[in-house]
Amino acid sequence: LINNVNSVVVNDFNIIQQVKNKRVRWSDILNEIDLRTIAVDSSYNQNFYNEVGGIRYTSYDFDSESKKLSINGETKIFDTINFTTIADLIDSLNASDIFSNAEMHSFAKSGSRDDGFIATLRISLNLKDKK
């Protein structure tokens, strides 16, 4: 009812409501990234990265105009499954109700079994349109 009234009447309340309807709630986006990452890395966000490895993000780039996100970070694994972990993370992000087209175009890994193998993350994805 409010949306119907707002489409007919133009006032400050209407303008505020339009802004609220179009805004992107970045806290929800970050929470979804965390949940999708925990599904792949059970020790994510528990400050065990240096000891047991896992996934760590170093930066996020959000573009609300194009609805594109870029996630940068790294994986540290003490066996050789870095790329499997990254593929599982991409699958988990794509399974989300709010993300689509998660992808990573280049893969590089360095390190050893003793120190851990580190692979760089550069994942790009889109926000799905709200319904």
Side-chain angles (χ1 to χ4, degrees), residues 1 17 50-51 54-55 66 73 87 89 92 98 101 116-117 126 131:
L1 177 64
Q17 190 64 40
N50 290 328
E51 293 82 17
I55 298 170
S66 66
L89 176 60
S92 181
I98 62 174
N101 302 323
F117 293 97
N126 297 326
K131 293 184 180 182

Side-chain angles (χ1 to χ4, degrees), residues 74-91:
E74 62 187 19
T75 62
K76 181 178 182 180
I77 309 290
F78 287 92
D79 55 25
T80 58
I81 63 164
N82 290 74
F83 298 147
T84 302
T85 301
I86 294 169
D88 290 345
L89 176 60
I90 290 169
D91 288 344

